[in-house]
Amino acid sequence: MDTRHTVAWLTAVLLGVCAQARAQDWPQFRGPQGTGIADEAGLARSWAQSEPTELWRRPLGAGFASLVVAGDQIYALFADGDDEVAAGFRVADGTEVWRRRIGKTFVDHWGNGPRSTPVIAGGSFYALASNGALHALRAADGQTIWEVDLEARFGSPNRPVEFDEGAPPGHVDMGPYWGFCSSLLVEGELLIAYTGSGDGNTLVALDRSTGEQRWGRLDHRTSYSSPFTVTIGGQRQIIVTVAGEIVSLSPSGELLWRHPWARFNVSQPVFIPPDKLFFSSSNDVGALLLAVGAGSTAALEVWRQPRMRNNWQSSVAHQDAIVGFDNATLKLLSLGGEIVWAKRGLGKGTLVLADDLLFLLSDRGVLTMAEWSLEGFRQVGQRQVLSDTTMTAPTLAQGKLFLRNHQEMVCFDLKQKPLAITATGSPE
Amino acid sequence: MIPPQETQACGLTSLAQPLLAGGGRAPRNHPQVLAFDLSWKVFGVCLLALLVVPALGAETVEAADGESLSAEEVIARCVAALGGEAAWRAIETLELTGRHTSFSQTQDFLLRRKRPDLYYFDHNETTFRVTTAYDGETAWWHTGIPLISKANWPVDMPRVYQSAVAAEAELEPPVIDHRAKGHEIEWAGESRFEGEAYLELRIKRRQDPDNVERWFLDPESFLPTLRLSRGAYHGYTTEQLTYFDDYRQVAGVQLPHRVETELGNDFLELVVDSVKVNHEIDDSVFHRPPPAGMELLRTLAGRWRVSIESLDNPVLHPERQRQWTTDETVAVIHSRAGGSLLEEEIEVATDRPRRARRLFSYDRFREVYRLAHFDTYSQHLDVLEGQLADGRLVLTNLRTDTPVRILRLSFHAREILHDIQPDSFKLDREVSPDGGQSWVPDIRFVYTRIPEDD
């Protein structure tokens, strides 16, 4: 191949790569669809020793809330001394653009700071502090649009109302022991928030323009899971796991169906089109696959799998399989519920999926990249990227991976690198 | 006894298995397609079978070298791989230090073992120091974690934890001298678990024969690699998976230096950095300590010869020359509830003969000492409270206001425990007819310890 042909070939390849690397936001908990999957392409399939390339790293206060990305800003909630704050940073270099106090810092032996992941929609940024202070801010500059104190307005407890050590797992109906930690959800013009207040206002829908309440439902208390939306059979549904059951509501708040489930559930439901929902819970509960019936008035149990127990981590579904952590063992389940393969040694991790690649972040800051495979675990890269404990799942947007722990936030470039051209014109 | 030895290593363990040892193979993390259906129904049937069906009979398995092995030979190879029974018998104590990970945070740990089954494990979980121990009869712990225990002082562990900790407490793996210890071991043949091939032993320990532990051996090294057992988590019984890895030779035995445990929501990891063998460890380490305040009174437990001096009618006839009378008796002070309570039985034959029962305790919440006194003369339960200062424990019933009342008078009491020595102490009892404004002597006791062989 002569030099002209080589350059032409490389140009074509590079243009192809660039065309596939579409900018994609991550505006809410678990990504654009709330599934833990980013719609990315053109990601590097392996890492050289210095990869993935670290674009920037900056200090960040304590917190568990996931990072969200929209446009040219990445947003974080964290503790800043006695205050919990929301802040916007430039995606390009991590420079802080704005910062706004949103509440009082939640202090806990397992880690301080906010748990609830914010959501961005229509230029507005919605953030829930651990003490129940709910804020609507302008995403561009953090200016307040409105705010509502969920604890004051709905009487939500922020510590357990009772606790019985000897009770069976999940028996006790506690208040939000770790503060307000369910993530927010935008559904059309509604902002959905889990208050845990009981008395018909456990799940509330607010007008996201004004903060006015549109409806309130459910009487449950504890849930550490977050509301999730899905469309099944043309019916938009808000799925929420509460103490003892799974509940589906229409966007206007009508009950569609309910199904018994764990008393204590943290992980998120996983949608398996066209009509299946996967749930997994720790405390020896295991996993459950439901099929939502025609008319969305009932959900039928398809199978249970006791050896898939997501704790605070959630699974992803892709290509007729489900991958998630059973405590500290990564497992791939077939859609029939069989464990196809299992992999230890990744810690108690979190994961996201993009471009047929799994990005697994261990609770001790080791990032592993693996090819999606039904045949077995196929690791293609691993690197220690955070020096201390993290329980926050990665955020993957715009070809970049964003990670955080209680001390810092870091951004890596995941895109496939353009091939270098040597003096002879050969790709290297 | 072999002399103390110490090794330095970098490796790990988990909720401290007695194993810990060498020649191990690489971590068993290779992905493999699982060979059996794990749907929940099938799993339930398998679990039921595990619980109710006796372990499979002996069969033969082909060793890596092509030799066919019987069940006994598999067990013998496991024992040999672990270093052999002679080497294990020579170990009286083990003291391990290293790093323990729980709740995703890694901190230091200290693990002490003493033959046959004394166990002490000290580590940190988040900001809490947690001690778990077994004194040969009872497991106790000291944890301030509110989700785990309401008591932030040393207490006996709930019943659900007892057998798991007792099993954990055995100094050596259960295959070592298993017949002498009364453990039953049956061989389940070749087995697979989550894609890995093993040789499986099923073990019933003498102390807990209803609990079948599944031990999975590496088919090549015959070292235990995985144990499925019954554990306890947040007050309920659940399956516990314990993985043994990074075996290293220490004092002739193989010890895993990395142990990972999956139990309930917990993922625990123990990495052993150093091991001391036959290091002197006092038995008291393994016993639940009494409340801090009672440690000062521990010496009161025992049998005592008591010299008594008492005053006749000290208050009712103050104008009369009071007469001291003397007597002698024997008192027994029992240590109850691990030293949290001292119970004295004493019989006094003065002009007011009585048998008395006296309970000494320390109220950790109000930070006061308390004496509950009942005798057959007054037939009254008197409660005195007070503080220990400068070696003197001064107790009164002024605050509890439980005095003896005669006619219109209330006789408050004050007891002063002083000169506390290992083999003697003194107790002065005084009474007050005026609500504590003045005190007059009543009885003086001098306790002298009666030697145990007396």
Side-chain angles (χ1 to χ4, degrees), chain A residues 89-109:
Chain A
F89 305 88
R90 274 207 291 264
V91 167
D93 57 12
T95 302
E96 183 171 318
V97 179
W98 59 264
R99 176 183 296 225
R100 179 75 51 197
R101 181 189 187 276
I102 59 170
K104 179 176 167 51
T105 291
F106 184 79
V107 177
D108 185 85
H109 302 291

Side-chain angles (χ1 to χ4, degrees), chain B residues 79-349:
Chain B
V79 170
L82 287 165
E85 289 174 337
W88 277 101
R89 287 174 195 146
I91 296 177
E92 292 293 325
T93 68
L94 287 170
E95 182 170 295
L96 298 86
T97 57
R99 290 154 286 143
H100 178 263
T101 300
S102 65
F103 296 110
S104 306
Q105 297 177 26
T106 302
Q107 302 185 67
D108 294 343
F109 80 86
L110 167 65
L111 172 61
R112 289 171 168 151
R113 297 179 174 282
K114 189 169 186 177
R115 185 173 293 281
D117 57 359
L118 300 179
Y119 172 88
Y120 177 92
F121 182 53
D122 192 46
H123 68 289
N124 293 284
E125 294 194 4
T126 66
T127 58
F128 300 101
R129 180 181 173 190
V130 179
T131 300
T132 306
Y134 185 73
D135 63 9
E137 293 182 355
T138 305
W140 59 268
W141 64 3
H142 182 184
T143 169
I145 302 177
L147 284 175
I148 296 187
S149 172
K150 296 186 184 78
N152 64 353
W153 57 90
V155 293
D156 290 349
M157 295 181 81
R159 182 189 299 266
V160 69
Y161 296 92
Q162 289 287 336
S163 63
V165 178
E168 206 76 49
E170 287 190 37
L171 182 135
E172 59 217 349
V175 294
I176 304 296
D177 283 329
H178 65 277
R179 286 196 178 83
K181 288 187 285 194
H183 298 340
E184 291 180 29
I185 302 183
E186 294 179 328
W187 180 41
E190 296 178 71
S191 177
R192 296 185 77 85
F193 182 78
E194 297 196 336
E196 297 287 346
Y198 300 97
L199 303 177
E200 182 180 346
L201 300 177
R202 295 185 181 176
I203 299 179
K204 296 181 198 173
R205 297 183 195 249
R206 175 181 49 78
Q207 315 91 310
D208 190 14
D210 294 334
N211 180 21
V212 179
E213 297 178 11
R214 299 177 66 189
W215 286 72
F216 296 90
L217 311 182
D218 181 288
E220 296 176 7
S221 70
F222 290 81
L223 285 167
T225 302
L226 166 64
R227 181 192 63 178
L228 262 67
S229 60
R230 189 171 64 192
Y233 174 79
H234 284 203
Y236 68 92
T237 300
T238 187
E239 178 187 77
Q240 176 173 331
L241 278 72
T242 310
Y243 293 90
F244 308 102
D245 200 357
D246 190 19
Y247 277 91
R248 301 181 190 192
Q249 184 160 340
V250 177
V253 304
Q254 293 290 326
L255 294 179
H257 281 56
R258 169 186 291 266
V259 179
E260 294 180 358
T261 301
E262 293 192 28
L263 172 68
N265 295 351
D266 281 350
F267 173 58
L268 311 170
E269 188 180 62
L270 200 69
V271 176
V272 178
D273 289 333
S274 72
V275 182
K276 290 180 181 175
V277 178
N278 291 336
H279 180 64
E280 183 96 11
I281 305 175
D282 191 88
D283 281 4
S284 62
V285 166
F286 305 98
H287 292 276
R288 178 165 60 79
M294 293 303 286
E295 285 180 358
L296 299 165
L297 301 183
R298 290 173 87 163
T299 189
L300 301 190
R303 293 180 71 235
W304 303 90
R305 184 166 290 110
V306 186
S307 299
I308 305 170
E309 293 180 305
S310 61
L311 273 178
D312 184 20
N313 292 323
V315 175
L316 292 178
H317 305 288
E319 72 286 355
R320 177 182 154 189
Q321 181 65 39
R322 288 173 293 171
Q323 299 294 316
W324 286 99
T325 59
T326 62
D327 193 10
E328 193 164 277
T329 189
V330 170
V332 180
I333 301 179
H334 304 277
S335 176
R336 307 290 192 198
S340 297
L341 186 71
L342 292 173
E343 180 180 9
E344 180 181 10
E345 297 175 76
I346 186 169
E347 186 165 348
V348 180

